[in-house]
mmCIF file of all heavy atoms in Angstrom:
data_model
loop_
_atom_site.group_PDB
_atom_site.id
_atom_site.type_symbol
_atom_site.label_atom_id
_atom_site.label_comp_id
_atom_site.label_asym_id
_atom_site.label_seq_id
_atom_site.Cartn_x
_atom_site.Cartn_y
_atom_site.Cartn_z
ATOM 1 N N GLY A 384 21.248 46.730 39.610
ATOM 2 C CA GLY A 384 21.727 45.535 38.977
ATOM 3 C C GLY A 384 21.205 44.257 39.579
ATOM 4 O O GLY A 384 21.954 43.101 39.443
ATOM 5 N N TYR A 385 19.995 44.232 40.302
ATOM 6 C CA TYR A 385 19.568 42.988 40.854
ATOM 7 C C TYR A 385 18.741 42.116 39.926
ATOM 8 O O TYR A 385 18.460 41.024 40.280
ATOM 9 C CB TYR A 385 18.624 43.381 41.998
ATOM 10 C CG TYR A 385 19.324 43.889 43.186
ATOM 11 C CD1 TYR A 385 19.064 45.165 43.752
ATOM 12 C CD2 TYR A 385 20.407 43.178 43.943
ATOM 13 C CE1 TYR A 385 19.680 45.746 44.850
ATOM 14 C CE2 TYR A 385 21.007 43.681 44.897
ATOM 15 C CZ TYR A 385 20.669 44.979 45.412
ATOM 16 O OH TYR A 385 21.357 45.486 46.624
ATOM 17 N N VAL A 386 18.377 42.627 38.733
ATOM 18 C CA VAL A 386 17.597 41.842 37.749
ATOM 19 C C VAL A 386 18.530 41.094 36.802
ATOM 20 O O VAL A 386 19.418 41.745 36.143
ATOM 21 C CB VAL A 386 16.628 42.792 37.018
ATOM 22 C CG1 VAL A 386 15.922 41.991 35.941
ATOM 23 C CG2 VAL A 386 15.683 43.487 38.051
ATOM 24 N N ASP A 387 18.331 39.866 36.771
ATOM 25 C CA ASP A 387 19.092 39.029 35.751
ATOM 26 C C ASP A 387 18.677 39.056 34.238
ATOM 27 O O ASP A 387 19.492 39.132 33.367
ATOM 28 C CB ASP A 387 19.087 37.521 36.145
ATOM 29 C CG ASP A 387 19.838 37.302 37.548
ATOM 30 O OD1 ASP A 387 20.918 37.698 37.615
ATOM 31 O OD2 ASP A 387 19.100 36.739 38.499
ATOM 32 N N ILE A 388 17.359 39.050 34.045
ATOM 33 C CA ILE A 388 16.903 39.068 32.688
ATOM 34 C C ILE A 388 15.611 39.999 32.709
ATOM 35 O O ILE A 388 14.741 39.699 33.586
ATOM 36 C CB ILE A 388 16.556 37.703 32.172
ATOM 37 C CG1 ILE A 388 17.754 36.789 32.036
ATOM 38 C CG2 ILE A 388 15.881 37.772 30.794
ATOM 39 C CD1 ILE A 388 17.440 35.362 31.587
ATOM 40 N N GLY A 389 15.417 40.818 31.753
ATOM 41 C CA GLY A 389 14.182 41.488 31.462
ATOM 42 C C GLY A 389 13.667 41.114 30.088
ATOM 43 O O GLY A 389 14.394 40.849 29.255
ATOM 44 N N PHE A 390 12.237 41.100 30.075
ATOM 45 C CA PHE A 390 11.606 40.720 28.845
ATOM 46 C C PHE A 390 10.878 41.903 28.300
ATOM 47 O O PHE A 390 10.125 42.593 28.963
ATOM 48 C CB PHE A 390 10.564 39.585 29.096
ATOM 49 C CG PHE A 390 11.295 38.200 29.410
ATOM 50 C CD1 PHE A 390 11.678 38.088 30.726
ATOM 51 C CD2 PHE A 390 11.586 37.321 28.381
ATOM 52 C CE1 PHE A 390 12.282 36.736 31.035
ATOM 53 C CE2 PHE A 390 12.222 36.150 28.709
ATOM 54 C CZ PHE A 390 12.510 35.928 30.120
ATOM 55 N N ILE A 391 10.993 42.129 26.993
ATOM 56 C CA ILE A 391 10.234 43.164 26.308
ATOM 57 C C ILE A 391 9.875 42.597 24.893
ATOM 58 O O ILE A 391 10.213 41.648 24.371
ATOM 59 C CB ILE A 391 11.031 44.427 26.170
ATOM 60 C CG1 ILE A 391 12.332 44.289 25.158
ATOM 61 C CG2 ILE A 391 11.573 45.012 27.363
ATOM 62 C CD1 ILE A 391 12.993 45.454 24.774
ATOM 63 N N GLY A 392 8.865 43.420 24.305
ATOM 64 C CA GLY A 392 8.407 43.310 22.949
ATOM 65 C C GLY A 392 8.285 44.576 22.287
ATOM 66 O O GLY A 392 8.716 45.592 22.811
ATOM 67 N N GLY A 393 7.696 44.664 21.095
ATOM 68 C CA GLY A 393 7.512 45.948 20.394
ATOM 69 C C GLY A 393 6.989 45.673 19.084
ATOM 70 O O GLY A 393 6.590 44.563 18.577
ATOM 71 N N ALA A 394 6.831 46.783 18.326
ATOM 72 C CA ALA A 394 6.283 46.840 17.011
ATOM 73 C C ALA A 394 7.355 46.529 15.868
ATOM 74 O O ALA A 394 7.022 46.023 14.794
ATOM 75 C CB ALA A 394 5.401 48.109 16.709
ATOM 76 N N GLN A 395 8.545 47.078 16.206
ATOM 77 C CA GLN A 395 9.545 46.972 15.236
ATOM 78 C C GLN A 395 10.842 46.528 15.877
ATOM 79 O O GLN A 395 11.121 47.074 17.165
ATOM 80 C CB GLN A 395 9.884 48.310 14.444
ATOM 81 C CG GLN A 395 8.867 48.682 13.361
ATOM 82 C CD GLN A 395 9.292 49.996 12.849
ATOM 83 O OE1 GLN A 395 9.762 50.850 13.362
ATOM 84 N NE2 GLN A 395 8.893 50.189 11.524
ATOM 85 N N ILE A 396 11.761 45.843 15.214
ATOM 86 C CA ILE A 396 13.113 45.627 15.708
ATOM 87 C C ILE A 396 14.069 45.622 14.496
ATOM 88 O O ILE A 396 13.696 45.226 13.386
ATOM 89 C CB ILE A 396 13.213 44.154 16.435
ATOM 90 C CG1 ILE A 396 14.572 43.968 16.953
ATOM 91 C CG2 ILE A 396 12.820 43.031 15.421
ATOM 92 C CD1 ILE A 396 14.678 42.713 17.895
ATOM 93 N N ASP A 397 15.232 46.098 14.690
ATOM 94 C CA ASP A 397 16.162 46.335 13.505
ATOM 95 C C ASP A 397 17.336 45.351 13.619
ATOM 96 O O ASP A 397 17.382 44.583 14.679
ATOM 97 C CB ASP A 397 16.539 47.670 13.296
ATOM 98 C CG ASP A 397 17.463 48.307 14.494
ATOM 99 O OD1 ASP A 397 18.097 47.450 15.206
ATOM 100 O OD2 ASP A 397 17.492 49.536 14.698
ATOM 101 N N GLN A 398 18.253 45.457 12.854
ATOM 102 C CA GLN A 398 19.418 44.518 12.780
ATOM 103 C C GLN A 398 20.330 44.553 13.905
ATOM 104 O O GLN A 398 21.107 43.542 14.235
ATOM 105 C CB GLN A 398 20.373 44.865 11.540
ATOM 106 C CG GLN A 398 20.958 46.339 11.452
ATOM 107 C CD GLN A 398 21.577 46.514 10.115
ATOM 108 O OE1 GLN A 398 22.261 45.631 9.608
ATOM 109 N NE2 GLN A 398 21.448 47.759 9.693
ATOM 110 N N PHE A 399 20.248 45.708 14.757
ATOM 111 C CA PHE A 399 21.057 45.726 16.009
ATOM 112 C C PHE A 399 20.169 45.534 17.180
ATOM 113 O O PHE A 399 20.573 46.074 18.300
ATOM 114 C CB PHE A 399 21.834 47.086 15.982
ATOM 115 C CG PHE A 399 22.802 47.038 14.895
ATOM 116 C CD1 PHE A 399 22.722 48.200 13.988
ATOM 117 C CD2 PHE A 399 23.871 46.268 14.697
ATOM 118 C CE1 PHE A 399 23.584 48.280 12.927
ATOM 119 C CE2 PHE A 399 24.717 46.300 13.619
ATOM 120 C CZ PHE A 399 24.643 47.364 12.782
ATOM 121 N N ALA A 400 19.068 44.971 17.070
ATOM 122 C CA ALA A 400 18.044 44.666 18.184
ATOM 123 C C ALA A 400 17.534 45.859 18.849
ATOM 124 O O ALA A 400 17.121 45.772 20.048
ATOM 125 C CB ALA A 400 18.713 43.762 19.182
ATOM 126 N N ASN A 401 17.466 47.104 18.196
ATOM 127 C CA ASN A 401 16.881 48.239 18.830
ATOM 128 C C ASN A 401 15.334 47.945 18.537
ATOM 129 O O ASN A 401 14.899 47.583 17.478
ATOM 130 C CB ASN A 401 17.187 49.482 18.076
ATOM 131 C CG ASN A 401 18.693 49.781 18.220
ATOM 132 O OD1 ASN A 401 19.247 49.832 19.293
ATOM 133 N ND2 ASN A 401 19.378 49.946 17.178
ATOM 134 N N VAL A 402 14.452 48.333 19.561
ATOM 135 C CA VAL A 402 12.956 48.044 19.444
ATOM 136 C C VAL A 402 12.280 49.379 19.482
ATOM 137 O O VAL A 402 12.587 50.275 20.323
ATOM 138 C CB VAL A 402 12.550 47.295 20.739
ATOM 139 C CG1 VAL A 402 11.140 47.092 20.923
ATOM 140 C CG2 VAL A 402 13.254 45.800 20.637
ATOM 141 N N ASN A 403 11.294 49.449 18.745
ATOM 142 C CA ASN A 403 10.330 50.518 18.518
ATOM 143 C C ASN A 403 8.904 50.133 19.092
ATOM 144 O O ASN A 403 8.346 49.223 18.500
ATOM 145 C CB ASN A 403 10.209 51.029 17.096
ATOM 146 C CG ASN A 403 9.278 52.149 16.890
ATOM 147 O OD1 ASN A 403 8.845 52.848 17.900
ATOM 148 N ND2 ASN A 403 8.687 52.211 15.762
ATOM 149 N N SER A 404 8.479 50.950 20.054
ATOM 150 C CA SER A 404 7.092 50.710 20.493
ATOM 151 C C SER A 404 6.387 52.128 20.744
ATOM 152 O O SER A 404 5.515 52.238 21.489
ATOM 153 C CB SER A 404 7.027 49.856 21.857
ATOM 154 O OG SER A 404 7.795 50.570 22.898
ATOM 155 N N SER A 405 6.935 53.109 19.923
ATOM 156 C CA SER A 405 6.466 54.451 20.039
ATOM 157 C C SER A 405 5.521 54.921 18.919
ATOM 158 O O SER A 405 4.471 55.407 19.129
ATOM 159 C CB SER A 405 7.657 55.384 20.279
ATOM 160 O OG SER A 405 8.377 55.202 21.404
ATOM 161 N N TYR A 406 6.033 54.781 17.725
ATOM 162 C CA TYR A 406 5.228 55.215 16.592
ATOM 163 C C TYR A 406 5.787 54.570 15.239
ATOM 164 O O TYR A 406 7.012 54.275 15.194
ATOM 165 C CB TYR A 406 5.127 56.682 16.525
ATOM 166 C CG TYR A 406 6.413 57.377 16.260
ATOM 167 C CD1 TYR A 406 7.073 57.559 14.981
ATOM 168 C CD2 TYR A 406 7.134 57.955 17.387
ATOM 169 C CE1 TYR A 406 8.307 58.184 14.872
ATOM 170 C CE2 TYR A 406 8.300 58.616 17.191
ATOM 171 C CZ TYR A 406 8.857 58.749 15.853
ATOM 172 O OH TYR A 406 10.113 59.352 15.750
ATOM 173 N N ILE A 407 4.948 54.482 14.339
ATOM 174 C CA ILE A 407 5.392 54.101 12.919
ATOM 175 C C ILE A 407 5.245 55.277 12.003
ATOM 176 O O ILE A 407 4.223 55.953 11.965
ATOM 177 C CB ILE A 407 4.419 52.935 12.394
ATOM 178 C CG1 ILE A 407 4.399 51.798 13.469
ATOM 179 C CG2 ILE A 407 4.975 52.472 11.112
ATOM 180 C CD1 ILE A 407 5.851 51.070 13.641
ATOM 181 N N GLY A 408 6.301 55.487 11.315
ATOM 182 C CA GLY A 408 6.301 56.627 10.223
ATOM 183 C C GLY A 408 7.296 57.653 10.776
ATOM 184 O O GLY A 408 7.998 57.574 11.866
ATOM 185 N N PRO A 409 7.252 58.842 10.046
ATOM 186 C CA PRO A 409 8.152 60.000 10.468
ATOM 187 C C PRO A 409 7.807 60.652 11.758
ATOM 188 O O PRO A 409 6.525 60.674 12.034
ATOM 189 C CB PRO A 409 8.014 60.945 9.276
ATOM 190 C CG PRO A 409 6.767 60.632 8.556
ATOM 191 C CD PRO A 409 6.681 59.135 8.843
#
Side-chain angles (χ1 to χ4, degrees):
Y385 289 121
V386 175
D387 294 300
I388 300 176
F390 291 86
I391 64 170
Q395 289 181 326
I396 184 170
D397 66 22
Q398 59 185 323
F399 297 118
N401 301 302
V402 171
N403 174 22
S404 56
S405 295
Y406 60 83
I407 303 297

